[in-house]
Amino acid sequence: MQAYNAAHPNQLIPADHSGRLRGYHAAMVGVEDDVTGTGYAMTVDFLPGGAPLPDEPDRLGTVVATHWGRGPVLVLAEDVPLRAAWKAITGQWPTRLSEVRVALATLS
């Protein structure tokens, strides 16, 4: 995560995970990492600050997959509207990272 945070200083993964970001985790089971083959259940985070709530303004950011807030970090999309990314993902309810990538491809 240090390498990611150094490369993306405006979209940091918080070091303190006590206040979880609003992210996608496939009904608390985790999203299967079928992309890198780590075998981890991953969570999809929207940086900075998590996916915007309906009453919050949208913002551009980065969508990443992490092993429940720890490394490894897989960047799935950069410089995308986070609300649109959230809607693209939750509109399909993917259970695998490859499906998350397909959902996010509609944003580019």
Side-chain angles (χ1 to χ4, degrees), residues 21-48:
L21 300 172
R22 181 174 181 229
Y24 177 77
H25 43 69
M28 296 304 289
V29 175
V31 179
E32 177 190 345
D33 180 5
D34 64 336
V35 173
T36 67
T38 63
Y40 291 140
M42 310 281 280
T43 185
V44 177
D45 287 316
F46 302 78
L47 304 169

Side-chain angles (χ1 to χ4, degrees), residues 34-77:
D34 64 336
V35 173
T36 67
T38 63
Y40 291 140
M42 310 281 280
T43 185
V44 177
D45 287 316
F46 302 78
L47 304 169
L53 294 170
D55 61 337
E56 294 179 328
D58 200 1
R59 60 191 176 278
L60 289 180
T62 302
V63 181
V64 300
T66 67
H67 179 56
W68 300 106
R70 299 185 307 269
V73 177
L74 178 62
V75 176
L76 301 171

